[in-house]
Amino acid sequence: MGSNINHGVTDEAAYQGLNALPHAVEGEMTSAVRVIGWLITGMLLLAVAAGLWQGIAGHQGLLTDVVNGLKVSEVGFAIVLILLGSIVEGFGYGLSLGTRWPYTRNIVVLMVRGDPEAAHRMVATLVGLIALALVILSPSVSTISGLSLIVVTALFGMGTLYVLAGRAPAIVHGTHGLLAYGVFLIYLTGLVYPGLNFWAYLGAVGALHALLLAVFLGGMTTGQRGFGTAIGPFVKPQKAAQWTIAAHVSAALLLVATLGWMMPAYPIAFYLAVAQVAVGFLLFHAVNLKPKDPGVMVAFHQSMVLLMCLAIVLQWR
Protein backbone atom coordinates (compact mmCIF):
# COMPACT_ATOMS: atom_id res chain seq x y z
CA MET A 1 0.00 0.00 0.00
CA GLY A 2 3.04 2.29 0.46
CA SER A 3 1.82 5.83 0.66
CA ASN A 4 -1.81 4.88 -0.02
CA ILE A 5 -2.56 4.54 3.64
CA ASN A 6 -6.13 4.92 4.86
CA HIS A 7 -7.00 8.56 5.56
CA GLY A 8 -8.00 7.49 9.09
CA VAL A 9 -4.34 6.87 9.94
CA THR A 10 -3.15 9.71 12.12
CA ASP A 11 -0.06 11.84 11.55
CA GLU A 12 1.32 10.35 14.74
CA ALA A 13 0.94 6.85 13.36
CA ALA A 14 2.71 7.91 10.19
CA TYR A 15 5.50 9.34 12.34
CA GLN A 16 5.82 5.98 14.07
CA GLY A 17 6.83 4.45 10.76
CA LEU A 18 3.65 2.89 9.46
CA ASN A 19 4.21 4.58 6.11
CA ALA A 20 7.27 2.38 5.60
CA LEU A 21 5.36 -0.82 6.26
CA PRO A 22 3.62 -2.70 3.47
CA HIS A 23 -0.11 -3.24 3.88
CA ALA A 24 -0.20 -1.39 7.22
CA VAL A 25 -3.77 -0.89 8.45
CA GLU A 26 -4.24 0.79 11.81
CA GLY A 27 -6.94 -0.57 14.12
CA GLU A 28 -9.22 1.73 16.08
CA MET A 29 -8.14 2.40 19.66
CA THR A 30 -11.52 2.20 21.39
CA SER A 31 -12.33 2.17 25.10
CA ALA A 32 -13.03 -1.57 24.80
CA VAL A 33 -9.50 -2.18 23.48
CA ARG A 34 -8.05 -0.17 26.37
CA VAL A 35 -10.07 -2.07 28.99
CA ILE A 36 -9.10 -5.41 27.47
CA GLY A 37 -5.49 -4.24 27.40
CA TRP A 38 -5.58 -3.61 31.14
CA LEU A 39 -7.16 -7.03 31.73
CA ILE A 40 -4.44 -8.68 29.65
CA THR A 41 -1.78 -6.78 31.61
CA GLY A 42 -3.37 -8.06 34.81
CA MET A 43 -3.26 -11.62 33.49
CA LEU A 44 0.43 -11.27 32.65
CA LEU A 45 1.20 -9.98 36.14
CA LEU A 46 -0.85 -12.81 37.62
CA ALA A 47 1.15 -15.34 35.59
CA VAL A 48 4.40 -13.81 36.86
CA ALA A 49 3.13 -13.81 40.45
CA ALA A 50 1.93 -17.42 40.19
CA GLY A 51 5.32 -18.49 38.86
CA LEU A 52 7.15 -16.67 41.64
CA TRP A 53 4.87 -18.20 44.24
CA GLN A 54 5.41 -21.69 42.84
CA GLY A 55 9.16 -21.16 42.89
CA ILE A 56 9.23 -19.77 46.43
CA ALA A 57 6.68 -22.13 48.00
CA GLY A 58 8.17 -25.33 46.51
CA HIS A 59 10.41 -27.57 48.59
CA GLN A 60 11.92 -29.83 45.95
CA GLY A 61 15.28 -28.16 45.62
CA LEU A 62 16.23 -24.82 44.10
CA LEU A 63 16.55 -25.97 40.49
CA THR A 64 13.29 -27.95 40.50
CA ASP A 65 11.42 -25.09 42.16
CA VAL A 66 12.72 -22.60 39.60
CA VAL A 67 11.75 -24.92 36.72
CA ASN A 68 8.25 -25.45 38.14
CA GLY A 69 7.83 -21.71 38.61
CA LEU A 70 8.84 -21.08 35.01
CA LYS A 71 6.37 -23.74 33.82
CA VAL A 72 3.53 -22.06 35.71
CA SER A 73 4.35 -18.68 34.18
CA GLU A 74 4.78 -20.24 30.73
CA VAL A 75 1.27 -21.72 30.84
CA GLY A 76 -0.12 -18.33 31.85
CA PHE A 77 1.80 -16.51 29.11
CA ALA A 78 0.66 -19.07 26.51
CA ILE A 79 -2.96 -18.35 27.48
CA VAL A 80 -2.38 -14.60 27.22
CA LEU A 81 -0.69 -15.04 23.85
CA ILE A 82 -3.70 -16.88 22.40
CA LEU A 83 -6.09 -14.29 23.81
CA LEU A 84 -3.98 -11.47 22.38
CA GLY A 85 -4.19 -13.14 18.98
CA SER A 86 -7.97 -13.13 19.24
CA ILE A 87 -7.99 -9.46 20.26
CA VAL A 88 -5.77 -8.63 17.29
CA GLU A 89 -8.34 -10.27 15.02
CA GLY A 90 -11.40 -9.00 16.85
CA PHE A 91 -10.42 -5.34 16.79
CA GLY A 92 -8.82 -5.07 13.36
CA TYR A 93 -5.15 -4.94 14.34
CA GLY A 94 -3.98 -7.86 12.20
CA LEU A 95 -2.00 -5.58 9.87
CA SER A 96 -1.37 -2.67 12.23
CA LEU A 97 2.39 -3.28 11.92
CA GLY A 98 2.26 -4.25 8.29
CA THR A 99 3.95 -7.46 7.13
CA ARG A 100 7.33 -6.68 8.69
CA TRP A 101 8.19 -9.35 11.25
CA PRO A 102 8.97 -9.98 14.06
CA TYR A 103 9.76 -6.46 15.20
CA THR A 104 9.31 -3.04 13.78
CA ARG A 105 10.22 0.51 14.64
CA ASN A 106 9.00 1.64 18.08
CA ILE A 107 7.30 -1.69 18.78
CA VAL A 108 7.71 -1.26 22.55
CA VAL A 109 6.19 2.23 22.38
CA LEU A 110 3.30 0.88 20.31
CA MET A 111 2.75 -1.89 22.85
CA VAL A 112 2.67 0.60 25.74
CA ARG A 113 0.19 2.73 23.81
CA GLY A 114 -2.12 -0.27 23.52
CA ASP A 115 -1.51 -1.85 20.12
CA PRO A 116 -2.55 -5.53 20.60
CA GLU A 117 -0.42 -6.74 17.68
CA ALA A 118 2.71 -5.20 19.19
CA ALA A 119 1.83 -6.78 22.55
CA HIS A 120 1.19 -10.12 20.82
CA ARG A 121 4.68 -10.15 19.33
CA MET A 122 6.38 -9.08 22.56
CA VAL A 123 4.58 -11.70 24.64
CA ALA A 124 5.49 -14.30 22.00
CA THR A 125 9.13 -13.29 22.53
CA LEU A 126 8.71 -13.75 26.28
CA VAL A 127 7.18 -17.21 25.75
CA GLY A 128 10.14 -18.15 23.57
CA LEU A 129 12.73 -16.92 26.10
CA ILE A 130 11.13 -18.87 28.95
CA ALA A 131 11.00 -21.97 26.74
CA LEU A 132 14.72 -21.56 26.04
CA ALA A 133 15.42 -21.20 29.78
CA LEU A 134 13.46 -24.41 30.47
CA VAL A 135 15.50 -26.30 27.88
CA ILE A 136 18.73 -25.08 29.49
CA LEU A 137 17.64 -25.79 33.07
CA SER A 138 15.67 -28.98 32.45
CA PRO A 139 16.43 -30.56 29.06
CA SER A 140 13.85 -33.22 28.20
CA VAL A 141 11.68 -34.36 25.31
CA SER A 142 8.90 -32.11 26.65
CA THR A 143 10.91 -28.90 26.99
CA ILE A 144 12.79 -29.39 23.72
CA SER A 145 9.54 -30.18 21.92
CA GLY A 146 7.96 -27.08 23.47
CA LEU A 147 10.74 -24.80 22.24
CA SER A 148 10.62 -26.39 18.79
CA LEU A 149 6.85 -25.86 18.60
CA ILE A 150 7.29 -22.21 19.56
CA VAL A 151 9.85 -21.63 16.80
CA VAL A 152 7.61 -23.24 14.16
CA THR A 153 4.55 -21.38 15.51
CA ALA A 154 6.44 -18.10 15.22
CA LEU A 155 7.38 -18.80 11.62
CA PHE A 156 3.77 -19.55 10.76
CA GLY A 157 2.84 -16.39 12.67
CA MET A 158 4.89 -14.45 10.12
CA GLY A 159 2.95 -16.27 7.43
CA THR A 160 -0.41 -15.17 8.86
CA LEU A 161 0.49 -11.57 8.01
CA TYR A 162 0.80 -12.54 4.36
CA VAL A 163 -2.46 -14.48 4.57
CA LEU A 164 -4.24 -11.33 5.77
CA ALA A 165 -2.51 -9.34 3.04
CA GLY A 166 -3.82 -11.83 0.47
CA ARG A 167 -0.39 -13.23 -0.39
CA ALA A 168 -0.45 -16.67 1.30
CA PRO A 169 -3.01 -19.51 1.57
CA ALA A 170 -5.44 -19.85 4.47
CA ILE A 171 -3.85 -23.12 5.62
CA VAL A 172 -0.96 -21.06 7.00
CA HIS A 173 -3.37 -19.26 9.33
CA GLY A 174 -5.03 -22.49 10.41
CA THR A 175 -1.70 -24.16 11.12
CA HIS A 176 -0.55 -21.18 13.20
CA GLY A 177 -3.62 -21.47 15.43
CA LEU A 178 -3.20 -25.23 15.76
CA LEU A 179 0.46 -24.88 16.75
CA ALA A 180 -0.33 -22.12 19.27
CA TYR A 181 -2.67 -24.50 21.09
CA GLY A 182 -0.01 -27.19 20.84
CA VAL A 183 2.38 -24.90 22.73
CA PHE A 184 -0.23 -24.24 25.40
CA LEU A 185 -1.03 -27.94 25.78
CA ILE A 186 2.55 -29.17 25.96
CA TYR A 187 3.37 -26.87 28.87
CA LEU A 188 0.03 -27.43 30.57
CA THR A 189 0.37 -31.22 30.51
CA GLY A 190 4.02 -30.96 31.57
CA LEU A 191 2.90 -28.93 34.59
CA VAL A 192 -0.09 -31.09 35.53
CA TYR A 193 1.50 -34.46 34.75
CA PRO A 194 5.29 -34.20 35.33
CA GLY A 195 7.25 -36.73 33.34
CA LEU A 196 4.39 -37.52 30.98
CA ASN A 197 5.30 -38.03 27.33
CA PHE A 198 3.19 -35.33 25.68
CA TRP A 199 3.15 -36.91 22.24
CA ALA A 200 1.95 -40.25 23.62
CA TYR A 201 -0.67 -38.41 25.67
CA LEU A 202 -1.85 -36.41 22.67
CA GLY A 203 -2.14 -39.56 20.60
CA ALA A 204 -4.25 -41.25 23.27
CA VAL A 205 -6.77 -38.48 24.01
CA GLY A 206 -9.43 -38.48 21.30
CA ALA A 207 -11.23 -35.50 22.81
CA LEU A 208 -8.24 -33.31 22.01
CA HIS A 209 -8.14 -34.58 18.43
CA ALA A 210 -11.69 -33.33 17.83
CA LEU A 211 -10.98 -30.04 19.59
CA LEU A 212 -7.77 -29.35 17.67
CA LEU A 213 -9.49 -30.13 14.37
CA ALA A 214 -12.06 -27.45 15.18
CA VAL A 215 -9.25 -25.05 16.15
CA PHE A 216 -7.43 -25.66 12.85
CA LEU A 217 -10.57 -25.08 10.77
CA GLY A 218 -11.41 -21.99 12.82
CA GLY A 219 -8.02 -20.53 11.89
CA MET A 220 -8.63 -21.56 8.29
CA THR A 221 -11.95 -19.68 8.38
CA THR A 222 -10.22 -16.47 9.49
CA GLY A 223 -7.51 -16.87 6.86
CA GLN A 224 -9.90 -17.74 4.05
CA ARG A 225 -12.07 -14.67 4.52
CA GLY A 226 -9.01 -12.41 4.63
CA PHE A 227 -8.55 -9.06 6.33
CA GLY A 228 -11.73 -7.06 6.84
CA THR A 229 -13.87 -9.24 4.56
CA ALA A 230 -17.30 -10.63 5.42
CA ILE A 231 -18.11 -14.31 4.92
CA GLY A 232 -21.66 -13.51 3.88
CA PRO A 233 -24.89 -15.27 4.87
CA PHE A 234 -25.59 -18.50 3.04
CA VAL A 235 -27.66 -21.65 2.99
CA LYS A 236 -25.53 -23.52 0.47
CA PRO A 237 -21.83 -22.53 0.38
CA GLN A 238 -20.92 -20.62 -2.76
CA LYS A 239 -17.34 -19.47 -2.15
CA ALA A 240 -14.22 -20.74 -0.41
CA ALA A 241 -14.80 -18.85 2.86
CA GLN A 242 -18.30 -20.29 3.15
CA TRP A 243 -17.10 -23.84 2.45
CA THR A 244 -14.43 -23.39 5.10
CA ILE A 245 -16.83 -22.19 7.76
CA ALA A 246 -19.20 -25.05 6.88
CA ALA A 247 -16.29 -27.43 7.57
CA HIS A 248 -15.56 -25.58 10.83
CA VAL A 249 -19.18 -25.91 11.98
CA SER A 250 -19.09 -29.61 11.10
CA ALA A 251 -15.94 -30.00 13.20
CA ALA A 252 -17.62 -28.19 16.10
CA LEU A 253 -20.59 -30.56 15.92
CA LEU A 254 -18.17 -33.50 15.74
CA LEU A 255 -16.53 -32.19 18.91
CA VAL A 256 -19.89 -32.06 20.69
CA ALA A 257 -20.68 -35.59 19.50
CA THR A 258 -17.26 -36.89 20.57
CA LEU A 259 -17.48 -35.39 24.05
CA GLY A 260 -21.08 -36.57 24.38
CA TRP A 261 -20.08 -40.11 23.39
CA MET A 262 -17.30 -40.01 26.02
CA MET A 263 -19.61 -38.85 28.79
CA PRO A 264 -19.21 -38.76 31.74
CA ALA A 265 -15.44 -38.50 31.18
CA TYR A 266 -15.42 -34.78 30.28
CA PRO A 267 -18.70 -33.22 31.44
CA ILE A 268 -17.43 -29.63 31.73
CA ALA A 269 -15.83 -29.74 28.29
CA PHE A 270 -19.03 -31.17 26.81
CA TYR A 271 -21.26 -28.39 28.15
CA LEU A 272 -18.72 -25.78 27.08
CA ALA A 273 -18.70 -27.28 23.57
CA VAL A 274 -22.49 -27.13 23.38
CA ALA A 275 -22.43 -23.47 24.45
CA GLN A 276 -19.58 -22.80 22.02
CA VAL A 277 -21.76 -23.75 19.05
CA ALA A 278 -24.13 -20.92 19.98
CA VAL A 279 -21.20 -18.54 20.54
CA GLY A 280 -19.86 -19.49 17.12
CA PHE A 281 -23.09 -18.50 15.39
CA LEU A 282 -23.06 -15.16 17.21
CA LEU A 283 -19.47 -14.64 16.07
CA PHE A 284 -20.45 -15.51 12.48
CA HIS A 285 -23.06 -12.73 12.54
CA ALA A 286 -20.59 -10.31 14.19
CA VAL A 287 -18.06 -10.98 11.40
CA ASN A 288 -20.67 -10.27 8.75
CA LEU A 289 -21.88 -7.11 10.46
CA LYS A 290 -18.39 -5.69 11.15
CA PRO A 291 -15.89 -7.73 9.14
CA LYS A 292 -12.90 -5.53 9.95
CA ASP A 293 -13.46 -5.55 13.70
CA PRO A 294 -16.09 -8.05 14.90
CA GLY A 295 -15.19 -7.16 18.48
CA VAL A 296 -14.85 -8.96 21.79
CA MET A 297 -16.83 -11.98 20.61
CA VAL A 298 -13.64 -13.32 18.98
CA ALA A 299 -11.81 -13.27 22.33
CA PHE A 300 -14.80 -14.85 24.06
CA HIS A 301 -14.83 -17.61 21.45
CA GLN A 302 -11.15 -18.34 22.07
CA SER A 303 -11.65 -18.20 25.85
CA MET A 304 -14.18 -21.00 25.54
CA VAL A 305 -11.66 -23.12 23.62
CA LEU A 306 -9.01 -22.51 26.28
CA LEU A 307 -11.48 -23.56 28.99
CA MET A 308 -12.30 -26.73 27.06
CA CYS A 309 -8.59 -27.56 26.81
CA LEU A 310 -8.20 -27.04 30.55
CA ALA A 311 -11.26 -29.15 31.31
CA ILE A 312 -10.05 -32.04 29.15
CA VAL A 313 -6.50 -32.04 30.51
CA LEU A 314 -7.48 -31.60 34.17
CA GLN A 315 -10.20 -34.28 34.03
CA TRP A 316 -8.08 -36.84 32.15
CA ARG A 317 -7.45 -40.07 34.00
Side-chain angles (χ1 to χ4, degrees):
M1 292 175 67
S3 61
N4 294 325
I5 293 181
N6 190 303
H7 293 298
V9 177
T10 63
D11 290 338
E12 180 182 6
Y15 174 78
Q16 290 169 350
L18 290 181
N19 272 328
L21 298 175
H23 301 283
V25 180
E26 186 183 33
E28 183 181 357
M29 183 56 62
T30 64
S31 57
V33 175
R34 291 190 179 91
V35 169
I36 292 172
W38 282 111
L39 290 174
I40 290 292
T41 301
M43 291 179 67
L44 284 171
L45 293 175
L46 183 61
V48 172
L52 289 172
W53 175 259
Q54 178 66 35
I56 294 171
H59 302 287
Q60 302 179 52
L62 178 61
L63 180 60
T64 301
D65 291 341
V66 170
V67 168
N68 288 338
L70 287 173
K71 286 181 178 178
V72 170
S73 291
E74 185 77 326
V75 171
F77 293 151
I79 291 173
V80 169
L81 188 59
I82 290 172
L83 290 177
L84 275 171
S86 66
I87 292 164
V88 167
E89 178 190 346
F91 290 93
Y93 280 84
L95 290 173
S96 67
L97 304 182
T99 52
R100 185 175 298 172
W101 179 91
Y103 307 114
T104 188
R105 179 181 171 185
N106 293 335
I107 191 169
V108 175
V109 173
L110 292 172
M111 179 186 70
V112 171
R113 292 181 178 178
D115 188 310
E117 173 65 4
H120 183 65
R121 298 192 195 185
M122 296 305 293
V123 173
T125 301
L126 184 59
V127 168
L129 290 174
I130 293 178
L132 178 61
L134 285 170
V135 169
I136 294 170
L137 296 174
S138 180
S140 66
V141 172
S142 178
T143 56
I144 294 172
S145 294
L147 179 59
S148 300
L149 274 176
I150 288 169
V151 171
V152 179
T153 303
L155 293 174
F156 273 89
M158 173 184 63
T160 62
L161 301 174
Y162 291 94
V163 174
L164 295 177
R167 291 148 60 187
I171 194 172
V172 173
H173 205 292
T175 303
H176 175 66
L178 179 65
L179 291 169
Y181 273 91
V183 171
F184 167 58
L185 286 169
I186 200 168
Y187 288 107
L188 176 63
T189 53
L191 180 65
V192 178
Y193 307 111
L196 178 72
N197 184 312
F198 171 74
W199 301 109
Y201 167 80
L202 183 62
V205 183
L208 285 177
H209 301 169
L211 179 58
L212 292 175
L213 174 62
V215 166
F216 171 71
L217 289 171
M220 281 280 292
T221 299
T222 300
Q224 194 66 63
R225 78 180 182 89
F227 183 79
T229 304
I231 296 169
F234 66 94
V235 175
K236 180 182 177 181
Q238 300 293 327
K239 57 183 181 179
Q242 293 175 349
W243 281 108
T244 305
I245 197 168
H248 178 52
V249 171
S250 298
L253 295 176
L254 176 62
L255 173 62
V256 172
T258 300
L259 292 171
W261 180 69
M262 291 181 170
M263 286 288 278
Y266 305 109
I268 296 175
F270 171 73
Y271 293 120
L272 285 170
V274 172
Q276 181 75 316
V277 172
V279 173
F281 278 108
L282 292 175
L283 177 57
F284 172 75
H285 288 295
V287 166
N288 284 328
L289 286 172
K290 297 182 67 180
K292 181 184 174 183
D293 53 341
V296 74
M297 190 60 68
V298 181
F300 186 66
H301 194 60
Q302 290 292 350
S303 298
M304 297 281 282
V305 179
L306 286 166
L307 288 173
M308 278 187 273
C309 288
L310 285 167
I312 290 170
V313 171
L314 295 178
Q315 292 188 311
W316 179 71
R317 295 176 180 83

